[in-house]
Amino acid sequence: MKTIEIVGYKRANLGKTEAKNLRAEGQVPCVIYGGEEQIHFSAPAILFRELVYTSEAHFVNVNVEGTEYGCIMQDIQFHPVSEMILHVDFLQWFAGKTIKMDIPVHLTGVSKGVSNGGTLIHKRRLLTIKALPKNMPEHIDLDITALDFGKAIKVSDVITDNFEILDTPQASIAVVEVPRALRGKSADEEGEEEGVEGAEEGAEGEEAPAAE
């Protein structure tokens, strides 16, 4: 998995006022936990672009005044209007200890159902994975070529390789919905078939007129 570097500086003071001042200067208040002690620091907001605005999962090498920590981004808070990054929580990881991460799901291929007019619904874009750091994937590829109308790829269909998926096995990741136009056409065809069958049954029930 690719590693991104974040360089930061320890925070001299904590609290809402200090955090607000840091954001005004283009800095993001952060914390690292999971180790022997929590590390409070700030880092330039520009350094988070490659980490946050991506379709891949990443490890993070956090360098705080020369001391490096292997981490994953555990939580991020955004301003509800401006979408400015308000705060980031990092979890320090260790080589022999499992971690949990939300890993992006990439759908590959062109679905059979979509080729025939269906609509692809990507219901689960992230899967929660538990694994040792060395086995954590950047993303999970799922081939949807054979996916037809009314069918779904479920969590249980994903082939795992040295990692565990924590999501519900029966949860759908991707489905192909039948378009309304085709649903209506199907109903009309069934009605026509029933009409034909009824006419045939009526013809069989008629008796031939008696000879005079």
Side-chain angles (χ1 to χ4, degrees), residues 14-198:
L14 303 179
K16 293 183 178 180
T17 301
E18 176 66 15
K20 185 177 181 180
N21 291 337
L22 285 171
R23 295 184 192 111
E25 296 171 358
Q27 300 284 315
V28 177
C30 306
V31 63
I32 300 173
Y33 61 90
E36 295 181 358
E37 60 179 351
Q38 291 188 354
I39 310 296
H40 294 270
F41 70 100
S42 64
I46 194 172
L47 297 181
F48 290 84
R49 289 182 179 177
E50 192 176 356
L51 176 63
V52 176
Y53 307 105
T54 176
S55 61
E56 306 286 349
H58 298 297
F59 287 140
V60 186
N61 182 51
V62 181
N63 184 326
V64 181
E65 298 182 5
T67 303
E68 298 183 351
Y69 305 87
C71 299
I72 59 174
M73 185 173 67
Q74 191 73 4
D75 188 41
I76 185 168
Q77 299 174 20
F78 294 93
H79 189 281
V81 178
S82 67
E83 296 189 356
M84 174 193 296
I85 300 175
L86 298 178
H87 193 274
V88 176
D89 290 354
F90 290 100
L91 174 67
Q92 187 176 0
W93 61 263
F94 301 91
K97 187 177 180 180
T98 58
I99 54 176
K100 298 176 185 177
M101 292 184 69
D102 290 334
I103 302 300
V105 176
H106 293 178
L107 303 181
T108 64
V110 179
S111 163
K112 178 181 178 181
V114 170
S115 296
N116 291 325
T119 301
L120 178 67
I121 308 296
H122 195 169
K123 302 186 72 173
R124 240 178 179 79
R125 296 181 179 275
L126 297 170
L127 291 177
T128 303
I129 305 299
K130 180 180 180 181
L132 290 172
K134 66 178 182 179
N135 296 327
M136 189 65 72
E138 292 183 347
H139 62 264
I140 294 174
D141 287 328
L142 290 181
D143 185 3
I144 61 170
T145 304
L147 195 59
D148 206 349
F149 291 143
K151 303 297 182 180
I153 295 179
K154 299 182 181 297
V155 172
S156 58
D157 297 324
V158 180
I159 298 174
T160 59
D161 183 16
N162 297 321
F163 61 82
E164 178 185 358
I165 301 176
L166 302 181
D167 297 73
T168 304
Q170 293 306 310
S172 296
I173 297 175
V175 300
V176 174
E177 292 187 348
V178 181
R180 185 176 301 175
L182 292 183
R183 289 201 298 267
K185 182 179 180 181
S186 178
D188 291 342
E189 289 174 350
E190 290 178 2
E192 290 175 2
E193 290 177 359
E194 291 177 358
V196 171
E197 290 176 358

